Amino acid sequence: FFNCKLTSPPLPSSHRQQEIANYLGMELSGRVIKKFADGEVYVQINESIRGCDVFLVQPTCPPNVNDNLMELLIMIDACRRASCRSITCVMPYFGYARADRRTSGRESIAAKLAANLLTEAGATRVVMLDIHSLQTIGYFDIPVDHIYGETVILDYLTSKDFDPNDLVVVSPDVGGVPRARAFAKKLCDAPLAIIDKRRTGHNKAEVMNLIGEVDGKVAIVLDDMIDTGGTICAGAKMLRERGAKEVYACATHAVFSPPAVERLGSGVFTEVIVTNSIPHTAERDFPQLTVLSVGNLLGETIWRVHNDTPVSFNKL
């Protein structure tokens, strides 16, 4: 890895960055990040990165979405001014991804704004993990590599002793059907069911109907993220009422805004399977939760980007 540097802002309780470094056989580059008394962020890179390909690993995730985004922007600026050759932002979770369109008048498209900020700060490439909507890639004027965290979940489910005839993959809404269909094809070519819901406000949705057969089946509910957990839990209750013998919730991004932990741990799910794209902390634990690592997946992607080889190795 000659002329390649891997660095990351300090995220509490996250071992993912170190997992990436271990996979690549590298050390995380030294940096100083601190806040002044007035809240302003200070960044300094502790080693020469002149002429290097720099990879900044930073999810702009809760609980401090804006702070994480600002830290990333300032780190990009510091690296650009240190004469590095390229700056790749590796963003396991892209904050503001859901603000990707206008649904009513006088709204901001914050996903486009965040893309502009990263580009103007000096980023030359972005790596994203399971972006909420693929149209967000078009908001960037620099190359974007999109990778699929669901492949990690797929490998985990494949290792379980499921009867292929018992499986059904469930999309929690119509928009997630392409994702669920591709996942079902890889998972023993399982049949597909769709939950019809109507969104009544931000973080609010009403489950209306179920399309497909789940009676006597093991239902795998697949989504890109779980926020408050209200919609996916309501869908799971409907699946139970329609005869599903087990219900598994699978999502790449465990946002887990309150009261998600209480809802998900209420017993409606057999298991809740997520990844560590967002740093996991002890207060987010509950008995049914399984957290899978995407460290090796991100490490392999970084290696391929640095060596100019295709990153479509994990496409669903």
Side-chain angles (χ1 to χ4, degrees), residues 156 261-262 264-267 269-273 280 282 284-291:
Y156 176 77
V261 172
E262 290 76 13
L264 297 170
S266 63
F269 291 107
T270 307
E271 188 175 4
V272 177
I273 305 164
H280 184 70
R284 292 151 53 93
D285 271 332
F286 52 93
Q288 297 89 350
L289 181 65
T290 298
V291 181

Side-chain angles (χ1 to χ4, degrees), residues 1-6 24-26 48-55 85-86 302-303 305-307:
F1 260 88
F2 181 70
N3 272 3
C4 178
K5 298 292 183 180
L6 181 69
L24 295 170
M26 301 175 62
S48 174
I49 55 173
R50 183 178 294 273
C52 293
D53 294 324
V54 175
F55 293 84
R85 182 168 60 183
S86 67
I302 290 171
W303 183 88
V305 169
H306 178 64
N307 288 281

Side-chain angles (χ1 to χ4, degrees), residues 170 172 195 205-210 214-215 219 221 228-249 259-260 262-270:
V170 182
I195 295 173
E206 180 183 355
V207 174
M208 304 293 290
N209 202 1
L210 177 68
V214 298
D215 187 24
V221 185
T228 62
T231 303
I232 199 168
C233 287
K237 291 175 182 176
M238 174 181 280
L239 294 172
R240 294 283 191 181
E241 292 168 359
R242 297 294 180 91
K245 62 182 180 180
E246 291 183 293
V247 181
Y248 290 78
E262 290 76 13
R263 287 172 171 170
L264 297 170
S266 63
V268 68
F269 291 107
T270 307

Side-chain angles (χ1 to χ4, degrees), residues 76-88:
I76 293 171
D77 184 69
C79 292
R80 179 174 62 86
R81 295 177 187 279
S83 301
C84 65
R85 182 168 60 183
S86 67
I87 303 171
T88 300

Side-chain angles (χ1 to χ4, degrees), residues 2-292:
F2 181 70
N3 272 3
C4 178
K5 298 292 183 180
L6 181 69
T7 189
S8 168
L11 286 175
S13 305
S14 175
H15 304 290
R16 181 191 54 248
Q17 286 88 332
Q18 193 57 53
E19 291 172 355
I20 296 171
N22 292 342
Y23 180 87
L24 295 170
M26 301 175 62
E27 295 291 333
L28 288 169
S29 295
R31 74 281 183 273
V32 174
I33 299 180
K34 62 183 180 181
K35 283 188 177 182
F36 293 109
D38 62 355
E40 293 179 1
V41 177
Y42 170 84
V43 170
Q44 182 183 29
I45 309 300
N46 286 345
E47 58 184 281
S48 174
I49 55 173
R50 183 178 294 273
C52 293
D53 294 324
V54 175
F55 293 84
L56 300 175
V57 184
Q58 169 79 318
T60 52
C61 63
N64 300 306
V65 175
N66 296 329
D67 284 352
N68 290 337
L69 177 59
M70 198 64 202
E71 283 183 359
L72 179 58
L73 294 172
I74 295 174
M75 286 199 70
I76 293 171
D77 184 69
C79 292
R80 179 174 62 86
R81 295 177 187 279
S83 301
C84 65
R85 182 168 60 183
S86 67
I87 303 171
T88 300
C89 296
V90 181
M91 305 179 72
Y93 178 81
F94 180 55
Y96 293 105
R98 285 175 283 183
D100 57 356
R101 65 191 184 280
R102 292 178 61 182
T103 57
S104 61
R106 299 173 298 281
E107 285 186 337
S108 165
I109 304 178
K112 171 59 174 170
L113 174 62
N116 288 345
L117 289 171
L118 292 168
T119 304
E120 291 301 317
T124 56
R125 179 181 293 270
V126 173
V127 174
M128 290 183 176
L129 181 69
D130 281 333
I131 190 67
H132 183 66
S133 175
L134 289 177
Q135 71 186 31
T136 305
I137 295 174
Y139 293 160
F140 287 86
D141 296 325
I142 55 177
V144 176
D145 292 312
H146 181 248
I147 56 176
Y148 295 85
E150 285 116 341
T151 56
V152 176
I153 298 173
L154 180 65
D155 290 342
Y156 176 77
L157 289 174
T158 303
S159 69
K160 287 181 171 288
D161 192 22
F162 288 131
D163 183 344
N165 296 320
D166 287 346
L167 290 174
V168 59
V169 175
V170 182
S171 173
D173 52 42
V174 175
V177 169
R179 179 190 304 111
R181 184 185 292 118
F183 192 87
K185 188 175 182 180
K186 294 282 188 178
L187 188 64
C188 308
D189 202 17
L192 184 67
I194 305 166
I195 295 173
D196 176 31
K197 71 180 183 182
R198 298 291 184 270
R199 190 160 293 281
T200 57
H202 295 159
N203 297 119
K204 294 179 181 179
E206 180 183 355
V207 174
M208 304 293 290
N209 202 1
L210 177 68
I211 304 169
E213 183 58 50
V214 298
D215 187 24
K217 300 282 190 178
V218 176
I220 311 294
V221 185
L222 180 71
D223 210 348
D224 64 319
M225 68 175 70
I226 301 175
D227 194 351
T228 62
T231 303
I232 199 168
C233 287
K237 291 175 182 176
M238 174 181 280
L239 294 172
R240 294 283 191 181
E241 292 168 359
R242 297 294 180 91
K245 62 182 180 180
E246 291 183 293
V247 181
Y248 290 78
C250 301
T252 301
H253 308 300
V255 181
F256 287 1
S257 303
V261 172
E262 290 76 13
R263 287 172 171 170
L264 297 170
S266 63
V268 68
F269 291 107
T270 307
E271 188 175 4
V272 177
I273 305 164
V274 299
T275 76
N276 64 346
S277 64
I278 293 175
H280 184 70
T281 53
E283 60 268 18
R284 292 151 53 93
D285 271 332
F286 52 93
Q288 297 89 350
L289 181 65
T290 298
V291 181
L292 306 176

